[in-house]
Every structure is written in C-alpha cells, then in structure tokens.
Amino acid sequence: PRSTLFPYTTLFRSPVDSPPPATASYSAGNHSHSSQTINSDLQSWQESKRTIKDRTSCLVNNERLSDVTFLVGQNETPIFGHKTILSVGSPYFEKLFFGPMAEKKTQIKIPDIEPEIFLTFLKYLYTDEFDSSMDDSDTLLLLKPAKVYIVPHLAEKCTALLVERMNPENVLVIYNRALIFDEPKLADFCLRFVDRQIDKIVATDNFLHMEAEILCTMLDRDNLRIDECTLFKAVVKWTEMECARQNLDFNSANSRSVLGRALYMVRFPTMGQEEFCLEVVPTDILTKDEIIGVFMNLCISAELRYYRPETPFSTTKRVFRPKLHYLSRFADVLSKVLSVNNGFGSSSDVLYSSKLRFQTDQRIFIHGVGVYGIASPIPSIRFNATASICKAQNLLSCRTDRKSVV
C-alpha cells in the first residue's frame, strides 16, 4: 500500500521558505492539518526569492493567492492551485478556467488520481522540476495527468524514464499504458524489447496476467528470439491462468475457447517432430485434422513442399532480426581524404584513414562496415576494415577484412 504524505502543504518546501499563508485548516480522513501563520512583520517571501522558479515553487499547494481547490483521490484530499499558473502550463486548464465555457466553481473533484501523483504533477507545472529517481510505477501514474491535461513535455520525460527503466518484469505493463495513453513510440520500443527478451518475459508473473489482446500482438511477431516449443508451453501456462480467472475448468475445450485466435498464431509447423509429439499432441488442444495437417507439414521435405496440405498455422519460422542503426563517421567523405606530399604516390601509400568508436549497454550485432573511396589514377586501391571489441579499455577480439578495388 502507498504511504500517504501529510501535510501536503509542506511536501515540496520547508516551513522557513514558505510564503506566509492565511491561517486555515482542513481535514482528510482521520488527519487534521493546519497551515502555518507567519508574522507579517518579517521580510516578505517575494523579496527572499530571487528567481521566478523559487517564487512559484513556494506556491505549490499553498493557500496564499489560491483561487481553486482540487479534491483529489477517493478521500478528496484538498490541494490548492492557482488558475493563472496552471493555465500557463496546460491548455486544458486554460480552457477550463478562462475559455468560453469556463468553470465557475472553486472546488474541482479529481477522484481517479492519487494525491501524491497530482502534487508531483503540479510541482512540474509550477517549477519544471522532474524527479528522475521515481520508480517505474510512479512514472506510469504520472503519465496519466501528463496526457489528460495535455503537457507533452512531461509525457516525453515520463516515457524516456520508462524506456531507461524497462526490464522483462515491467515491459508488458508499460506497453499496456502506452496503448491506453496513445504513445506509439513507447509502444514500438516495448515490442522491440519483447523481441529481444521474450525468453525472460514468459517467465514473469506479468506474462500470466496480461490481456488476451496483448498476447495476440506478441504471438503475431516475426522477430521473437525464442523457439516455438518454449513459447507454446508459456502460452499453455497463460491459458491455465486465464481459465482460473474466468472460473472455468482447465481442459482442452475451455483452453481453445479462452485462446481464441491466439491459438492459430502459434507456429506449430516450425517445431521439431519430437517437440510436437511430446509437448503439443498430449495437451489435446488441437483437433485431429489440425494434428494431421501439422504432421504432414513437418514430415514432407522442402523439395516436395507442394504436397503439404494447407494449415491454419503459419509455417514461417520466427527469426530475430535486430533493428539496424546506421552510424556515419563523416557527412562529407571527400573533404576528409588525407593528402600526401608526392601526389597520389605509390599504391602502398595510405590515402584515407577513418575511425568510428561507440559503446553500448547491451548486446549488439555488427551487420557491416561501409568504406567509401574516390576516383583516382591509382591502378588499384586496397581497403582494410578492422572491427575491435573492447571491455574496460581491454581488447577482447579483433577482425580485419581486406578488399582490393581495380
């Protein structure tokens, strides 16, 4: 359970730095809260704050100058706001408070956002401060007000942090929220992460609790880095859990029912014959005609593939194909050609040299290296491409390919 932070008026500032509010008190649940009263003879809070950020930060959830109160969460915790500041940060609030159909009420209920998250959201609107140390759960919760109240730069910060914190345990939850809040780039990143880490994802609890539609999206992927038999066994575990959620007995008929079209996204013809016999047939999840069709596809060789019967299951094997990223050393190759004292010199002279160095935080595949040359009177030009792999400045491996162009 999430701990509740009280008093909210001191969540983002110390009492000494607070602007002097009028004396006020409110009650939330079994807790009573009183705002502080500061001697008006002391230096005004505006004088002690040198920047606009410092001054507006003092107004976060402060009753001074407040002209709207949000009743947040199921307990309707009061949180003070300032219409002008809110409208500067959000077009939603501008239309709400100053549009043709402006809200005249001074109290607005927000029952579907937790008070702590709404305060974090207000703090960003008032100060541009974003807590990058928050966990992925709070980041997902913060993404909701960022989208609802149309603050795209906050949504971008949330999605960037979620990408950074993504792991096999939370990727399906993040993908689900990306669909809900219409974040296609985040959703695409999640799916590419699933392609790479599917073998770890199927072993998590979140895999067993995901929605059927997300399961179908996953099974429709061509790039999953997992063998089909292991994937099928994970699908069977999900099916057993789904039957329990629907209060159904776990049997072949109910399994086919809860899987629906997901069953036909499992690529049985790409399994080995022994795997299909030992792992799939005993489950009785396929009909006799489906089993015969898969068997014939497994047994008939590729040379005689025209005799294979049609089957509702894809015969295309999943192959993990990482997304290609291109790194360019120079935008203008010609300007980087090295000149030598004796013109073009002999064929053994080095005319062009270029290095490209980068580091990664995960396993990558080097797809290829492109080397560019220029037209010259030299009879032949030799190109050398060397790829070196280092870890902590230590050389782990090195490979050099040579090619001559006549």
Side-chain angles (χ1 to χ4, degrees):
R2 187 181 300 280
S3 60
T4 306
L5 302 176
F6 291 108
Y8 286 102
T9 52
T10 61
L11 183 60
F12 299 123
R13 51 185 166 73
S14 63
V16 175
D17 292 336
S18 304
T23 302
S25 63
Y26 62 89
S27 176
N30 296 324
H31 303 270
S32 296
H33 313 277
S34 297
S35 56
Q36 304 173 53
T37 302
I38 299 179
N39 192 330
S40 59
D41 293 336
L42 298 179
Q43 182 186 33
S44 65
W45 62 275
Q46 293 96 332
E47 293 179 77
S48 62
K49 306 302 176 184
R50 294 182 177 274
T51 66
I52 184 65
K53 178 181 176 180
D54 290 338
R55 292 189 287 275
T56 55
S57 65
C58 288
L59 295 176
V60 176
N61 191 27
N62 196 296
E63 193 175 7
R64 174 169 287 275
L65 305 180
S66 173
D67 50 4
V68 63
T69 302
F70 298 99
L71 304 178
V72 184
Q74 296 300 317
N75 294 328
E76 296 189 353
T77 303
I79 296 178
F80 300 111
H82 306 78
K83 293 181 179 180
T84 300
I85 298 178
L86 294 170
S87 300
V88 169
S90 163
Y92 178 96
F93 285 128
E94 182 181 14
K95 291 184 178 180
L96 178 66
F97 298 134
F98 302 105
M101 305 293 290
E103 181 64 65
K104 303 300 182 182
K105 295 185 295 185
T106 58
Q107 289 190 337
I108 298 176
K109 293 183 179 181
I110 304 180
D112 55 346
I113 298 178
E114 296 185 23
E116 306 95 290
I117 298 303
F118 192 74
L119 276 171
T120 303
F121 171 68
L122 286 191
K123 182 182 179 182
Y124 180 82
L125 289 185
Y126 280 62
T127 67
D128 279 340
E129 291 184 11
F130 180 79
D131 183 10
S132 58
S133 65
M134 74 175 75
D135 59 30
D136 53 287
S137 177
D138 284 344
T139 307
L140 283 170
L141 292 174
L142 183 59
L143 183 59
K144 180 176 181 177
K147 298 295 291 188
V148 170
Y149 300 113
I150 317 177
V151 187
H153 35 91
L154 176 58
E156 290 174 2
K157 292 178 182 293
C158 290
T159 55
L161 188 58
L162 290 171
V163 167
E164 181 182 333
R165 302 282 178 81
M166 192 172 293
N167 58 61
E169 293 285 345
N170 65 18
V171 61
L172 296 178
V173 178
I174 295 175
Y175 177 71
N176 179 264
R177 292 301 181 93
L179 295 179
I180 293 174
F181 297 127
D182 190 26
E183 286 288 340
K185 290 184 179 179
L186 179 60
D188 181 66
F189 190 92
C190 289
L191 290 177
R192 288 190 279 113
F193 186 93
V194 168
D195 288 342
R196 299 192 304 270
Q197 302 288 340
I198 182 62
D199 56 330
K200 298 181 179 66
I201 293 171
V202 296
T204 65
D205 288 338
N206 282 330
F207 176 84
L208 299 178
H209 292 88
M210 68 179 170
E211 299 176 2
E213 192 62 33
I214 296 180
L215 175 65
C216 290
T217 300
M218 183 181 301
L219 293 177
D220 197 39
R221 304 285 292 176
D222 294 326
N223 298 339
L224 297 179
R225 189 166 63 182
I226 190 173
D227 67 89
E228 205 66 26
C229 186
T230 302
L231 183 60
F232 169 72
K233 288 189 283 188
V235 171
V236 171
K237 291 181 179 179
W238 180 91
T239 305
E240 183 177 3
M241 183 66 70
E242 184 64 17
C243 285
R245 283 191 288 267
Q246 298 185 24
N247 296 320
L248 299 173
D249 293 333
F250 179 56
N251 54 46
S252 58
N254 289 335
S255 294
R256 290 180 65 92
S257 176
V258 300
L259 277 173
R261 64 190 183 95
L263 175 63
Y264 297 97
M265 293 181 175
V266 180
R267 306 182 182 187
F268 296 108
T270 65
M271 295 182 179
Q273 294 182 21
E274 287 188 1
E275 290 177 329
F276 185 73
C277 291
L278 299 177
E279 300 293 346
V280 180
V281 175
T283 64
D284 291 328
I285 200 169
L286 300 182
T287 65
K288 290 183 179 180
D289 290 340
E290 290 170 346
I291 292 174
I292 292 173
V294 172
F295 260 128
M296 293 185 68
N297 274 271
L298 290 173
C299 296
I300 297 176
S301 64
E303 291 77 8
L304 300 174
R305 61 183 177 275
Y306 299 108
Y307 293 97
R308 292 174 178 174
E310 292 186 2
T311 174
F313 309 105
S314 174
T315 59
T316 303
K317 190 176 182 63
R318 303 180 199 272
V319 179
F320 177 62
R321 297 181 179 88
K323 182 179 180 180
L324 287 178
H325 297 269
Y326 295 90
L327 302 179
S328 299
R329 178 67 178 89
F330 298 119
D332 179 11
V333 177
L334 294 179
S335 64
K336 306 303 178 182
V337 175
L338 302 181
S339 60
V340 293
N341 293 331
N342 57 343
F344 283 100
S346 65
S347 59
S348 62
D349 289 333
V350 176
L351 299 179
Y352 177 76
S353 177
S354 177
K355 294 180 180 180
L356 180 67
R357 178 180 298 176
F358 58 91
Q359 62 183 20
T360 68
D361 59 357
Q362 57 186 283
R363 186 182 182 188
I364 66 168
F365 300 89
I366 303 296
H367 185 72
V369 178
V371 181
Y372 300 89
I374 62 172
S376 75
I378 299 177
S380 65
I381 301 178
R382 290 193 299 269
F383 294 97
N384 294 343
T386 301
S388 302
I389 301 177
C390 302
K391 184 176 182 179
Q393 305 300 323
N394 297 320
L395 182 65
L396 298 182
S397 64
C398 182
R399 174 180 172 179
T400 299
D401 292 329
R402 296 178 172 84
K403 185 176 182 180
S404 297
V405 180
V406 179

